[in-house]
Amino acid sequence: MTFLAGPPLLFGTGAFYLHVQMLTYYLVAFGLGVALGYLIWGWGQASAVARARQEGQRTAEDAADARESGTETGRLKAELDICVKARATLEDRLEKALADLKDAKGTRAPPPNDGPAQPETPTASRQAANAPTPETETTGPPRLASRPERPDDLKKIKGIGPKLEKLLNELGVYHFHQIAGWRDSDADWVNARLKFSGRIERDGWIAQAKRLSEDT
């Protein structure tokens, strides 16, 4: 049982050898402690590096997602702007085409007449004289017979461009309060003459005209 009394002797039984042996044990214990501490420190460093890499990867993924989201939002906004501009261009072209068609109908030459001109009957003359004009027609909304000195700028209403303003003036509409007082039947009457089905309701002319007439 003497081996339990202490560590085995390496250099003998003298006092000097005993001190040398204890110093050796201290050095061995110190070396083991340093090695163990280095292993623990290395493991901690590796764990910290791994966590840093994971955090960096998540940060890079979040940044990539943010860039992708921003790019997609910008692309959708650009496409929306293109669609809005294309719609405005098409509406202007449609208005111009309808105006040209109206002018072409107004300047169309009468069909040739090979026979002698027939005298107009009294009945036809009276019908032509009594035919209503845009100024005297009793149907539709209230209209002015002539252009006032200071008409309103109808182009302030969204959906009304120069062409539509000209057509409305030809129908006797010059002021916001005229449009603000339109009923459903009045809007249908104007829609039929502008060849734009539902344009008044879709763009909300009447509500816009009410606000503009209140401001003026």
Side-chain angles (χ1 to χ4, degrees), residues 47-152:
S47 299
V49 171
R51 288 195 299 271
R53 288 179 178 175
Q54 292 178 355
E55 291 295 333
Q57 184 176 2
R58 285 197 294 269
T59 302
E61 291 176 353
D62 294 340
D65 293 339
R67 287 194 300 271
E68 184 177 356
S69 177
T71 303
E72 182 68 14
T73 302
R75 184 181 66 81
L76 293 176
K77 287 183 178 179
E79 291 182 357
L80 179 61
D81 292 339
I82 292 173
C83 292
V84 171
K85 292 179 181 178
R87 177 188 173 185
T89 301
L90 291 175
E91 288 181 350
D92 291 339
R93 292 175 61 185
L94 180 59
E95 293 176 3
K96 184 177 183 300
L98 291 174
D100 294 341
L101 180 61
K102 181 179 179 181
D103 295 340
K105 289 181 178 180
T107 58
R108 182 178 300 175
N113 188 3
D114 297 335
Q118 298 294 331
E120 190 179 30
T121 61
T123 303
S125 300
R126 286 194 299 270
Q127 290 177 351
N130 296 328
T133 62
E135 294 80 6
T136 60
E137 190 176 355
T138 58
T139 59
R143 301 179 302 282
L144 301 180
S146 60
R147 183 182 182 86
E149 293 182 0
R150 301 180 65 181
D152 292 332

Side-chain angles (χ1 to χ4, degrees), residues 155-167:
K155 296 188 296 299
K156 291 183 179 180
I157 297 177
K158 179 183 177 182
I160 297 180
K163 297 290 185 181
L164 285 180
E165 183 182 41
K166 181 180 178 182
L167 293 176

